[in-house]
Amino acid sequence: MKVRILGCGTSSGVPRIGNDWGDCDPDNPLNFRTRASILISLGGFRILVDTSPDMRMQLLRAEVGEVDAVIWTHEHADHCHGLDDLRQIMNRRRSPVPAYARNHVLDILKWRFTYAFAGNAGYPASVDPIDLLDHQSIGPIEVSAIEMPHGPIKATGLVFSDGAHKIGYATDFSKFTDEMVDFFQGVDLFVIDALRRYPHPTHPHLKMSLDAIKKVGNPRAIITHMDNSMDYADVSSELPDNVEAGFDGLEVQL
């Protein structure tokens, strides 16, 4: 089972519009961050987690032309507003893309992107919506889901298993609850949001994320969803040996 970090940036990406690199070194290509998304693959089967506004560029860079399923973690624009690019995936596979999310998220996306779910003016639907359960098989991959507090809404945390290894993915949460500690316990790799060094009302800051990694067994971990205050080299020098800063294009195979 393999995970690719398609994008490890926050909602505004790095650099922000206006060529705003903040504290990030513009000469280090690992500081260029598109919006947060990952690709899980096993034996040629691919699950895309979130359709970021940068989805087209992310899949082109990964040389991926087809995905077998999509999971949306929540309804915020930086995680779903690349949805229209699923149309080209649908054209290549010649059928709507199975797309999983909690029912309330699907309802919001159906309202925003009615044409993608229902078709329009002779164009077929791009998406086949499916309720994301707490536990289910998506192709050969076992997927477990948990609701995480994300300010005033909920986002979905995920664990992917091939029967031998587990990859955890937790982005966009404001508190690491006891239920989340139990849910992510024992993962072999933990990809986790660490927006910045100081607290944020709807995202974890670096210390919160490092504490969460310890609570789930101190596995190998990758921090993601970083803003332009998180220079790759500087952050990397601060991290414990089992934790690394993510970058767009990073791949790990278990």
Side-chain angles (χ1 to χ4, degrees):
M1 184 167 58
K2 181 169 66 176
V3 58
R4 180 182 176 98
I5 308 296
L6 294 173
C8 66
T10 188
S11 58
S12 53
V14 179
R16 295 176 179 174
I17 289 175
N19 207 33
D20 179 5
W21 289 88
D23 297 322
C24 291
D25 179 2
D27 293 325
N28 185 345
L30 300 186
N31 280 322
F32 185 89
R33 300 177 183 132
T34 57
R35 270 64 73 93
S37 177
I38 62 171
L39 189 71
I40 301 286
S41 57
L42 177 62
F45 189 92
R46 299 186 180 108
I47 300 176
L48 173 65
V49 181
D50 289 330
T51 55
S52 89
D54 302 307
M55 173 185 159
R56 174 180 170 275
M57 180 169 59
Q58 291 169 343
L59 294 184
L60 286 170
R61 287 178 170 175
E63 298 184 348
V64 169
E66 298 179 12
V67 298
D68 299 282
V70 171
I71 297 175
W72 286 298
T73 58
H74 63 297
E75 65 269 25
H76 282 167
D78 55 320
H79 291 262
C80 62
H81 278 200
L83 187 152
D84 188 67
D85 285 323
L86 291 177
R87 181 165 49 105
Q88 183 60 25
I89 303 293
M90 179 274 293
N91 287 335
R92 291 177 62 86
R93 60 182 279 123
R94 299 183 180 180
S95 63
V97 182
Y100 297 77
R102 298 303 202 187
N103 267 329
H104 71 277
V105 176
L106 291 176
D107 288 343
I108 292 169
L109 295 182
K110 287 175 185 177
W111 175 74
R112 290 183 192 163
F113 300 95
T114 304
Y115 66 92
F117 290 85
N120 184 50
Y123 288 90
S126 303
V127 177
D128 177 19
I130 303 170
D131 183 27
L132 180 65
L133 307 178
D134 287 346
H135 304 283
Q136 65 199 119
S137 296
I138 302 179
I141 302 172
E142 293 296 318
V143 180
S144 300
I146 189 173
E147 294 303 281
M148 307 184 300
H150 179 30
I153 71 163
K154 301 287 187 182
T156 303
L158 300 162
V159 170
F160 303 92
S161 175
D162 62 2
H165 304 97
K166 292 182 178 180
I167 296 172
Y169 187 55
T171 186
D172 293 66
F173 62 88
S174 48
K175 182 181 179 182
F176 203 77
T177 64
D178 291 342
E179 292 78 12
M180 291 167 65
V181 172
D182 292 340
F183 180 78
F184 291 109
Q185 195 69 224
V187 295
D188 300 284
L189 176 68
F190 196 16
V191 182
I192 183 170
D193 189 333
L195 182 77
R196 62 192 190 189
R197 291 179 180 83
Y198 56 98
H200 186 278
T202 61
H203 285 267
H205 59 293
L206 182 58
K207 184 181 183 303
M208 183 192 296
S209 298
L210 293 178
D211 288 346
I213 292 166
K214 291 179 182 178
K215 288 177 181 178
V216 302
N218 227 19
R220 179 180 180 182
I222 299 169
I223 59 171
T224 189
H225 213 294
M226 294 174 285
D227 74 5
N228 67 352
S229 69
M230 301 281 275
D231 177 76
Y232 178 84
D234 288 348
V235 170
S236 294
S237 70
E238 302 170 18
L239 298 175
D241 291 343
N242 61 308
V243 183
E244 60 194 292
F247 57 86
D248 286 21
L250 173 61
E251 288 188 338
V252 176
Q253 184 165 345
L254 299 179

